[in-house]
Amino acid sequence: MRFSVLGPLTANHDGKGVPLGGLRQRTALAFLLLHPNTSVSTQRLIGALWGANEPTTARKSVQNALSRLRKAFLTPDQSGEAPVALRTESRGYVLRIPPEHIDLGRHHLLLERGARELADRSWEAAVRTLREALGLWRGEVLADLVEAGIEWPELAVVREARWKALEDRIVADLMLGRHREVVAELGLAADAEPVRERLCRLHMVALYRTGRQTDALEVYRRTRSVLAERFGTGPGPRLRDLEQYVLAHDPELTAPGAVLRLAA
């Protein structure tokens, strides 16, 4: 049994889709998939499903939803044991599942491997690993439930992991001299997230190294403007220093390892 949360919530068994029922069941399952192998209290599930608008029937509705989920996806494997187990505890529930059975779990494992490869300066390996991690995404995390109004702090954490994976992969690409290859991708990413200062630094370095000093400075000015407009603040010291390097055509910008010192 495999589950996907890096996009619309889906489940499949032996390559075939498994129906997950209505919105309440899907939402409860999604929350448990974000907290695999961890005890989740009934009250916490109720909060995830209804927020402050908890109905008087909430506890019974959770029990019914999870009972239906058990019937939907607890399929025994060839050994006769269910690789996924939804267990009831005194205060709530725990979804027992191997991490690799959830795309988010595989994503985390790949990010850990990619981080080790970056630390070892194995740039090609890091690019491959992080591309694989990013390839697991099929859209917005839990896109169907977000569209229905779900917004949990956990989703912001997952989104941040995606951005970090992209930035780490671009660091590895830049260390391999692929400045021209990543400029367009960085431009699209910066359009989507103009306040990410690390992304801005990577974009500026890539532009500068392809002979586009003016464009690099424009990226800085746009980020500065958006930060001021949204948060009433300015760029951090590393980004300000990078602007000065670009203005001065500082040799540091093209020195070996400059990407790690200036942009990573």
Side-chain angles (χ1 to χ4, degrees):
M1 193 75 176
R2 304 282 171 158
F3 297 89
S4 298
V5 300
L6 303 180
L9 176 64
T10 61
N12 71 79
H13 181 66
D14 289 338
K16 298 179 180 179
V18 176
L20 296 174
L23 179 62
R24 201 70 66 205
Q25 288 173 228
R26 297 171 63 82
T27 305
L29 173 60
F31 195 75
L32 291 169
L33 287 168
L34 293 177
H35 302 277
N37 306 304
T38 301
S39 181
V40 177
S41 70
T42 302
Q43 193 56 48
R44 193 176 178 193
L45 267 174
I46 289 172
L49 269 63
W50 288 281
N53 302 312
E54 175 186 339
T56 56
T57 58
R59 188 169 294 269
K60 184 63 176 177
S61 294
V62 167
Q63 292 172 350
N64 290 339
L66 296 184
S67 176
R68 288 192 291 269
L69 283 172
R70 280 194 178 96
K71 296 176 182 177
F73 65 72
L74 293 187
T75 305
D77 62 18
Q78 292 181 349
S79 67
E81 297 180 356
V84 181
L86 179 56
R87 304 192 186 283
T88 303
E89 298 186 338
S90 58
R91 296 181 55 200
Y93 304 87
V94 58
L95 182 65
R96 298 291 182 193
I97 181 171
E100 62 274 15
H101 284 216
I102 312 171
D103 59 355
L104 180 57
R106 298 196 298 278
H107 190 260
H108 287 323
L109 293 172
L110 288 166
L111 294 191
E112 290 171 3
R113 188 206 303 172
R116 292 193 299 270
E117 291 163 346
L118 286 172
D120 292 339
R121 301 198 169 201
S122 300
W123 309 123
E124 286 284 9
V127 168
R128 288 194 299 271
T129 297
L130 294 170
R131 280 192 185 280
E132 184 179 350
L134 292 163
L136 294 173
W137 286 79
R138 300 168 294 111
E140 168 70 70
V141 55
L142 293 172
D144 51 334
L145 300 183
V146 169
E147 187 176 342
I150 295 301
E151 187 55 58
W152 301 318
E154 292 87 349
L155 302 186
V157 174
V158 177
R159 294 179 188 122
E160 176 61 25
R162 183 185 193 180
W163 282 110
K164 186 177 185 306
L166 175 63
E167 291 167 350
D168 284 350
R169 198 222 80 218
I170 288 173
V171 165
D173 272 323
L174 291 176
M175 289 301 295
L176 291 165
R178 296 169 181 161
H179 311 101
R180 296 186 185 280
E181 291 88 338
V182 301
V183 161
E185 182 181 12
L186 278 165
L188 292 172
D191 287 343
E193 282 289 327
V195 298
R196 292 189 70 86
E197 293 196 31
R198 187 189 188 206
L199 192 64
C200 178
R201 295 197 305 272
L202 291 167
H203 196 192
M204 288 176 67
V205 168
L207 286 166
Y208 184 86
R209 287 190 166 190
T210 54
R212 297 168 61 183
Q213 180 203 27
T214 301
D215 290 338
L217 292 171
E218 180 56 36
V219 167
Y220 173 83
R221 295 186 190 104
R222 184 183 68 167
T223 299
R224 181 183 61 190
S225 176
V226 174
L227 286 169
E229 180 181 342
R230 293 190 187 179
F231 307 114
T233 187
R238 295 185 68 189
L239 189 51
R240 294 198 305 270
D241 288 347
L242 182 55
E243 182 206 22
Q244 294 305 309
Y245 283 128
V246 173
L247 284 167
H249 288 283
D250 196 296
E252 171 69 0
L253 284 163
T254 54
V259 173
L260 296 179
R261 292 190 294 273
L262 299 175

